[in-house]
């Protein structure tokens, strides 16, 4: 559990760190543009979705309305057809010849004579029934109908004569009107039988309804499609997928036939005279294709998308222009801040942009002028302070050496001193002169740092031995054990005079520090070679560098023994090492183990040699000072 918690915490930390790095990379213009573009694109996308939804809903509503219109269209056609059918049956019922035929009451005679009346009527269906409503004979175009089925459907006791009815006969739907035949007046005459005429609901009727309703049409009976304007394949799919659509009235049902979606509705084709006992009730199915609606939606989508892209491009251009207007003065302000951070106090800003930006620019300009004035004052004060500190250090040390020389010279002028005492005093005078010479040499070399080097291909070990000899002859190097390790015949392009002075200064400081240690004063110098660099490592047994001095150990006029003093040795050594492309580091700082390392990259030394061979001025590699 602890591991899981730690992993989760590390993941969160990594996520926050990544987010912070991303925010650091984003400029203000980008930060301003991204939300505006996201907002613009989001509003455009939302508008597109709203319009699409409205169009789809309106399309579905229009399709549903078209379906109802289609059903009403068929009902109107059916009503007109029924009226014509009722008049035609009434005219046939009034024919004297037909009445005369029916008075024979002979089925064979009626069957033979009835065919003439069927042909004259021009109807698709013609039937004659006796007084009891039993079928005598029936005629129809196409395949002959089953006699018993027709007889059963036309039983007069089950419907009201005179009103057209829909009958399903052998998977065919007929609109039939029946009229009674009377001998004499209807009110007082004798009932001779019935005449029935009708027309089928076939492909012709389906096409008429389809053209009037601008939709696909199908007529079904008990789940079976009797006739339709669909292809045979789609008709089979309609039977397989229609379900209740083909059996009970259904509104606005979505169905897929082939690769196209349809919105379908169905309505029962019944009349008030429909026999209630019959289960096979014809049904009208109207299917409205989504193709036109889909095309409309696609056109709307294309227009909206095109307008959205135009709005996005125009809006992006406007946003970029506005953001540049807002951010350009800020970028100028940032450039001014960078220039100010680099010490350029003469960088002036243009007062452009909004009022707030102009006010900020004016405030920055006032700050720049004030900082420039303050910088000049600080430079003057620092220059005076440096001169004063330098003069104080030099005067103190020179006064010390001069006092020693004066006192020893006065002692030497005495009459009663021996020759050995005179030689000892002479040595002290020489030491004071040597100290003054070292001080003046350090000051002279300090003023010459940064000038051209004079590199030669020399032995580094020989340069180190010369520096060690100079330290051992110095009073500070007496009684200090100096041990050398790793000296070899290594040669490199160096300025032996300057680099030897740097090693000398470090060794001299190490000897002075070793004498302040607890045990015997020892100093160890090790020459370390590697593929990339040459290192001169100096270790002393002194008390270590004090904490207040550690951070400014390489600054001028700072020594290890106190916070202020001559302190030019490490400064000169650091600058000489930097002129050779390297540097000096205080690697360890513990009592009895203080380590200074001069690091000289081989690539920089080779560059010095190449510059000498080409007789050009060498390129200096400056390494930032430590501390």
């Amino acid at each position: 559990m602890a591991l899981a918690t730690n992993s989760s915490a590390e993941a969160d930390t990594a996520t926050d760190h990544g987010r912070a790095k991303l925010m650091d990379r984003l400029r203000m213009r980008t930060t301003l543009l991204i939300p505006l573009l996201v907002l613009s694109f989001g509003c455009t996308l939302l508008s597109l979705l709203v319009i699409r939804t409205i169009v789809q809903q309106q399309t579905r509503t229009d399709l549903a309305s078209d379906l109802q219109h289609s059903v009403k269209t068929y009902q109107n056609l059916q009503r007109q057809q029924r009226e014509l059918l009722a008049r035609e049956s009434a005219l046939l019922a009034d024919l004297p010849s037909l009445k005369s035929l029916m008075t024979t009451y002979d089925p064979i005679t009626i069957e033979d004579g009835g065919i003439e009346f069927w042909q004259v009527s021009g109807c698709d269906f013609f039937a004659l029934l006796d007084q009891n409503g039993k079928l005598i004979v029936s005629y129809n175009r196409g395949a002959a109908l089953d006699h018993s089925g027709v007889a059963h459907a036309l039983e007069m006791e089950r419907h009201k004569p005179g009103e057209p009815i829909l009958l399903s006969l052998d998977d065919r739907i007929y609109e039939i009107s029946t009229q009674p035949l009377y001998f004499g007046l209807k009110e007082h005459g004798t009932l001779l039988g019935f005449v029935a005429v009708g027309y089928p609901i076939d492909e012709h009727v389906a096409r008429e309804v389809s053209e009037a309703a601008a939709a696909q049409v199908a007529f079904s009976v008990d789940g079976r499609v009797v006739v339709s304007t669909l292809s045979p394949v789609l008709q089979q799919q309609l039977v397989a997928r229609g379900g209740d659509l083909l059996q009970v009235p259904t509104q606005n049902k979505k169905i897929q036939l082939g690769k196209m979606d349809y919105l379908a509705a169905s309505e029962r084709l019944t009349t008030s005279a429909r026999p209630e006992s019959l289960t096979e009730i014809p049904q009208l199915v109207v299917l409205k294709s989504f193709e036109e609606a889909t095309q409309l939606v696609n056109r709307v989508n294309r227009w909206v998308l095109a307008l959205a892209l135009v709005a996005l491009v125009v809006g992006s251009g406007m946003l970029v222009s506005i953001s540049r207007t807002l951010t350009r003065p800020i970028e100028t302000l940032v450039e001014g801040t960078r220039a100010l951070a680099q010490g350029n106090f003469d960088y002036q800003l243009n007062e452009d942009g909004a009022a707030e930006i102009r006010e900020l620019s004016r405030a920055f300009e006032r700050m720049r002028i004030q900082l420039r004035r303050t910088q000049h004052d600080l430079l003057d004060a620092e220059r005076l302070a440096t001169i004063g500190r330098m003069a104080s250090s030099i005067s103190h040390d020179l006064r010390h050496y001069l006092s020693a020389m004066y006192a020893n010279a006065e002692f030497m002028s005495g009459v009663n001193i021996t020759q050995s005492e005179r030689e000892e005093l002479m040595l002290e005078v020489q030491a004071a002169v040597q100290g003054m010479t070292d001080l003046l040499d350090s000051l002279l070399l300090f003023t010459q740092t940064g000038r051209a080097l004079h590199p030669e291909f020399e032995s580094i070990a020989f340069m180190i031995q010369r520096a060690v000899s100079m330290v051992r002859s110095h009073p500070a190097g007496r009684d200090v054990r100096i041990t050398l390790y790793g000296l070899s015949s290594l040669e490199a392009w160096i300025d032996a005079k300057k680099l030897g002075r740097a090693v000398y200064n470090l060794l001299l400081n190490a000897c002075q520090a070793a004498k302040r240690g607890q045990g015997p004063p020892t100093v160890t110098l090790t020459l370390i070679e590697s593929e990339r660099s040459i290192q001169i490592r100096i270790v002393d047994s002194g008390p270590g560098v004090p904490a207040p001095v550690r951070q400014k150990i390489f600054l001028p006029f700072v020594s290890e023994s106190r916070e202020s003093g001559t302190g030019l040795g490490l400064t000169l050594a650091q600058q000489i090492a930097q002129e050779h492309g390297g540097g000096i580091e205080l690697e360890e700082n513990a009592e009895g183990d203080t380590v200074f390392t001069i690091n000289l990259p081989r690539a920089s030394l080779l560059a010095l040699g190449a510059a000498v061979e080409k007789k050009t001025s060498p390129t200096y590699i400056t390494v930032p000072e430590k501390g």
Side-chain angles (χ1 to χ4, degrees), residues 195-271:
V195 60
V197 294
Y199 71 93
I201 298 179
D202 54 8
E203 291 81 359
H204 177 71
V205 176
R207 282 196 299 270
E208 287 185 352
V209 178
S210 174
E211 292 174 358
Q216 298 292 341
V217 172
F219 293 90
S220 66
V221 176
D222 195 24
R224 305 184 308 275
V225 176
V226 176
V227 63
S228 73
T229 56
L230 296 171
S231 65
V233 176
L234 298 183
Q235 185 171 311
Q236 293 177 1
Q237 294 182 6
L238 176 61
V239 175
R241 303 173 184 176
D244 295 339
L245 182 67
L246 302 178
Q247 297 179 353
V248 296
T250 305
Q251 297 295 326
N252 302 333
K253 179 178 180 180
K254 188 175 181 180
I255 185 172
Q256 183 178 5
L257 301 179
K259 298 182 179 180
M260 194 173 299
D261 293 331
Y262 291 88
L263 190 66
S266 61
E267 187 75 19
R268 284 183 175 177
L269 302 180
T270 60
T271 62

Side-chain angles (χ1 to χ4, degrees), residues 453 493-495 499 576-582 600-601 604-605 608:
L453 295 175
W493 287 95
I494 58 173
D495 189 331
L499 190 58
I576 292 171
Q578 290 177 354
E579 289 176 356
H580 284 77
L600 302 174
S604 301
L605 301 182
L608 292 176

Side-chain angles (χ1 to χ4, degrees), residues 93-96 98-105 131 180-193:
D94 288 337
L95 288 177
L98 181 59
K99 292 181 180 181
S100 175
L101 178 64
M102 292 299 294
T103 57
T104 63
Y105 299 105
Q131 302 94 326
L181 296 171
Y182 289 95
F183 181 78
L185 295 178
K186 181 179 180 179
E187 292 79 6
H188 307 289
T190 302
L191 180 62
L192 300 176

Side-chain angles (χ1 to χ4, degrees), residues 377-449:
D377 296 341
L378 287 176
L379 289 176
D380 293 339
E382 182 68 21
R383 190 180 299 110
L384 292 175
T386 302
I387 293 173
R389 187 165 61 251
M390 182 176 179
S392 176
S393 297
I394 294 173
S395 64
H396 177 272
D397 292 328
L398 288 177
R399 189 179 294 111
H400 172 74
Y401 291 131
L402 289 173
S403 297
M405 292 171 60
Y406 180 79
N408 291 325
E410 186 176 1
F411 289 146
M412 290 174 62
S413 64
V415 181
N416 298 325
I417 62 173
T418 63
Q419 182 63 29
S420 60
E421 292 176 342
R422 192 181 302 277
E423 291 177 355
E424 184 178 354
L425 291 173
M426 187 62 185
L427 290 175
E428 292 182 0
V429 170
Q430 290 178 351
V433 172
Q434 181 67 34
M436 293 179 63
T437 301
D438 291 341
L439 177 61
L440 293 176
D441 288 343
S442 297
L443 291 173
L444 182 61
L445 191 60
F446 180 72
T447 59
Q448 293 178 347
T449 55

Side-chain angles (χ1 to χ4, degrees), residues 27-309:
R27 299 179 63 85
M28 180 179 179
R29 183 182 302 169
T30 307
T31 307
L32 180 63
L33 278 177
I34 288 177
L36 292 177
L37 289 177
V38 170
L39 180 61
S40 177
F41 184 75
C43 292
T44 303
L45 182 61
L46 182 61
S47 301
L48 178 61
L49 293 176
V50 170
I51 294 175
R52 178 185 176 88
T53 303
I54 293 174
V55 170
Q56 288 179 341
Q57 291 178 350
Q58 185 62 38
T59 301
R60 195 178 183 91
T61 302
D62 292 342
L63 287 177
S65 177
D66 290 343
L67 289 178
Q68 296 299 323
H69 175 69
S70 301
V71 174
K72 291 181 179 179
T73 299
Y74 172 74
Q75 291 175 349
N76 292 333
L77 292 175
Q78 186 184 38
R79 185 172 58 254
Q80 296 174 3
Q81 189 69 26
R82 283 178 175 177
E83 292 176 355
L84 292 175
L85 192 61
R87 286 197 295 269
E88 186 174 355
S89 62
L91 290 175
L92 287 173
D94 288 337
L95 288 177
S97 56
L98 181 59
K99 292 181 180 181
S100 175
L101 178 64
M102 292 299 294
T103 57
T104 63
Y105 299 105
D106 182 17
I108 297 177
T109 303
I110 294 174
E111 183 175 351
D112 293 337
I115 190 170
E116 182 179 355
F117 292 97
W118 171 52
Q119 294 174 351
V120 171
S121 67
C123 295
D124 293 275
F125 178 85
F126 182 86
L128 294 173
L129 299 87
D130 61 14
Q131 302 94 326
N132 298 322
K134 294 186 179 296
L135 179 64
I136 299 174
V137 65
S138 66
Y139 311 94
N140 67 280
R141 300 184 188 278
L145 297 173
D146 181 65
H147 183 81
S148 60
V150 175
H152 178 71
L154 293 178
E155 290 180 359
M156 298 305 300
E157 67 274 13
R158 297 192 178 183
H159 67 279
K160 184 178 180 181
E163 293 186 5
I165 60 172
L166 285 172
L167 294 179
S168 174
L169 303 174
D170 295 347
D171 287 339
R172 281 178 280 182
I173 303 175
Y174 285 89
E175 184 90 23
I176 297 175
S177 176
T178 305
Q179 290 290 340
L181 296 171
Y182 289 95
F183 181 78
L185 295 178
K186 181 179 180 179
E187 292 79 6
H188 307 289
T190 302
L191 180 62
L192 300 176
F194 298 89
V195 60
V197 294
Y199 71 93
I201 298 179
D202 54 8
E203 291 81 359
H204 177 71
V205 176
R207 282 196 299 270
E208 287 185 352
V209 178
S210 174
E211 292 174 358
Q216 298 292 341
V217 172
F219 293 90
S220 66
V221 176
D222 195 24
R224 305 184 308 275
V225 176
V226 176
V227 63
S228 73
T229 56
L230 296 171
S231 65
V233 176
L234 298 183
Q235 185 171 311
Q236 293 177 1
Q237 294 182 6
L238 176 61
V239 175
R241 303 173 184 176
D244 295 339
L245 182 67
L246 302 178
Q247 297 179 353
V248 296
T250 305
Q251 297 295 326
N252 302 333
K253 179 178 180 180
K254 188 175 181 180
I255 185 172
Q256 183 178 5
L257 301 179
K259 298 182 179 180
M260 194 173 299
D261 293 331
Y262 291 88
L263 190 66
S266 61
E267 187 75 19
R268 284 183 175 177
L269 302 180
T270 60
T271 62
S272 58
R274 183 73 180 114
E276 297 178 357
S277 61
L278 295 180
T279 57
E280 295 184 354
I281 303 176
Q283 191 154 279
L284 170 65
V285 180
V286 182
L287 301 102
K288 192 74 174 180
S289 173
F290 276 100
E291 182 178 6
E292 294 182 0
T294 303
Q295 293 177 356
L296 175 61
V297 172
N298 292 336
R299 286 198 301 270
V300 171
N301 288 343
R302 287 194 294 269
W303 276 104
V304 172
L305 184 59
L307 293 176
L309 291 176

